[in-house]
Amino acid sequence: MPDTYNDRLFHGNRARRFLHERRFWWLVDRLRRLHISRAAVIEIGCYDAKTISFLERGGIAVTRYIGYEADADVFARAQPQWASRPEITLVKSTAPSDIDLSATFDVGICMETLEHLPDDLVDGYLDALARVVRGPVFFTIPVERGAMLIAKQLGYRIFGMYGDRLSWRDLLNGALSRTDRIPRHEHRGFDDRRMLERIARYFTVTESTGLFVPYFTTLNFTLGIVGTAKQRHPKH
């Protein structure tokens, strides 16, 4: 089974690889700042669990890991990769009910995933993370409005980069941050401001910053968010 996602983002163009690896090194940096060197980790939208490799390269020991992934092909391809490590478990998940609420973790991770979830599943996954993680939870979400949206669309149209080309009307609305006027589908019409509001329902947000230009959200490809659960929920 060809892995076009990894080939496109991590094995090809150096600039694109740098942009997409940035979130992993941001994660490692934030864990170091919090003096976390060992952790039991849950990840929603883990893909092939490459996060583990970045954590360990950054000196973070993963004592236990459960990753949830919806893509059946990716799941089948990734499982053998980690078969020799019993502390690592990958679980196919297509709904929040798949999350084991009886487990607890030191760290939660959900990077470049929330924009791909059906809208009616987002709150369920956020609630599940809030229930099982006793330490920080790290999110990254894309910026799909303003100057960054224009830059992405130019890349798609002029340089033939992979991505969803918006109509001129949707591009204008996105450039003006009127994302509510764009039909929503994954990255299309995604609004980082609204997603941050949803995250804040479940977590006390301690950091929300651009991964490249910290104080100007729309000049970033990606926004990094750190939060802790607002309250401990009873286990079901």
Side-chain angles (χ1 to χ4, degrees), residues 187-200:
H187 284 258
R188 179 188 288 267
F190 179 81
D191 195 308
D192 56 281
R193 300 165 300 181
R194 294 191 180 91
M195 187 56 69
L196 181 57
E197 289 174 355
R198 294 180 78 167
I199 291 171

Side-chain angles (χ1 to χ4, degrees), residues 9 19 22 28 47 49 53 56 63 75 85 98 110 123-124 137 155 159 161 164 166 170 177 179 181:
L9 301 188
L19 292 175
R22 179 72 183 96
V28 169
Y47 199 71
S53 299
E56 294 180 338
T63 59
F75 182 77
R85 297 187 57 176
D98 298 320
C110 185
D123 285 281
V137 179
F159 301 106
M161 295 168 57
D164 191 1
L166 298 179
D170 288 346
S177 293
T179 57
R181 303 187 185 187

Side-chain angles (χ1 to χ4, degrees), residues 136-137 199-207 225-231:
V137 179
I199 291 171
R201 295 176 193 167
Y202 300 91
F203 299 90
T204 298
V205 174
T206 56
E207 180 181 1
I225 300 162
V226 184
T228 55
K230 286 189 170 181
Q231 60 182 4

Side-chain angles (χ1 to χ4, degrees), residues 31 36-41 52 55-64 85 106:
L31 286 167
I36 297 174
S37 58
R38 297 172 58 83
V41 177
I52 298 170
L55 291 176
E56 294 180 338
R57 285 164 61 189
I60 312 296
V62 178
T63 59
R64 180 167 51 92
R85 297 187 57 176
D106 304 309

Side-chain angles (χ1 to χ4, degrees), residues 52-53 56 61-63 65 80-89:
I52 298 170
S53 299
E56 294 180 338
V62 178
T63 59
Y65 176 96
Q81 177 184 349
W82 301 105
S84 64
R85 297 187 57 176
E87 77 277 17
I88 296 172
T89 303

Side-chain angles (χ1 to χ4, degrees), residues 1-218:
M1 293 178 290
D3 189 351
T4 56
Y5 177 82
N6 274 330
D7 290 341
R8 189 172 70 247
L9 301 188
F10 297 100
H11 302 152
N13 181 277
R14 289 184 179 180
R16 193 159 198 173
R17 183 168 69 245
F18 169 78
L19 292 175
H20 285 277
E21 286 188 350
R22 179 72 183 96
R23 64 182 180 267
F24 296 100
W25 294 123
W26 168 83
L27 171 66
V28 169
D29 176 71
R30 291 320 189 257
L31 286 167
R32 286 173 171 170
R33 291 189 188 190
L34 293 169
H35 306 291
I36 297 174
S37 58
R38 297 172 58 83
V41 177
I42 180 174
E43 182 169 16
I44 306 298
C46 66
Y47 199 71
D48 59 2
K50 65 167 52 65
T51 304
I52 298 170
S53 299
F54 282 91
L55 291 176
E56 294 180 338
R57 285 164 61 189
I60 312 296
V62 178
T63 59
R64 180 167 51 92
Y65 176 96
I66 296 184
Y68 291 89
E69 172 57 44
D71 189 311
D73 290 341
V74 171
F75 182 77
R77 185 166 54 240
Q79 272 195 317
Q81 177 184 349
W82 301 105
S84 64
R85 297 187 57 176
E87 77 277 17
I88 296 172
T89 303
L90 303 185
V91 179
K92 187 174 183 300
S93 173
T94 56
S97 57
D98 298 320
I99 307 300
D100 179 6
L101 297 180
S102 68
T104 56
F105 300 88
D106 304 309
V107 168
I109 300 169
C110 185
M111 300 197 298
E112 305 303 294
T113 295
L114 294 175
E115 68 274 18
H116 296 290
L117 293 176
D119 190 66
D120 61 339
L121 298 184
V122 170
D123 285 281
Y125 277 111
L126 292 175
D127 179 66
L129 280 173
R131 290 173 180 268
V132 301
V133 181
R134 59 194 177 196
V137 179
F138 300 88
F139 302 91
T140 67
I141 56 177
V143 177
E144 300 290 348
R145 59 188 180 90
M148 191 47 59
L149 178 67
I150 296 173
K152 289 181 181 180
Q153 289 295 311
L154 287 174
Y156 303 154
R157 295 167 186 271
I158 297 175
F159 301 106
M161 295 168 57
Y162 177 88
D164 191 1
R165 297 187 184 187
L166 298 179
S167 68
W168 291 109
R169 175 180 293 179
D170 288 346
L171 178 56
L172 175 60
N173 282 320
L176 296 174
S177 293
R178 300 187 306 209
T179 57
D180 57 316
R181 303 187 185 187
I182 303 173
R184 180 80 177 86
H185 178 67
E186 299 198 353
H187 284 258
R188 179 188 288 267
F190 179 81
D191 195 308
D192 56 281
R193 300 165 300 181
R194 294 191 180 91
M195 187 56 69
L196 181 57
E197 289 174 355
R198 294 180 78 167
I199 291 171
R201 295 176 193 167
Y202 300 91
F203 299 90
T204 298
V205 174
T206 56
E207 180 181 1
S208 175
T209 186
L211 266 58
F212 300 93
V213 186
Y215 303 108
F216 299 93
T217 297
T218 56

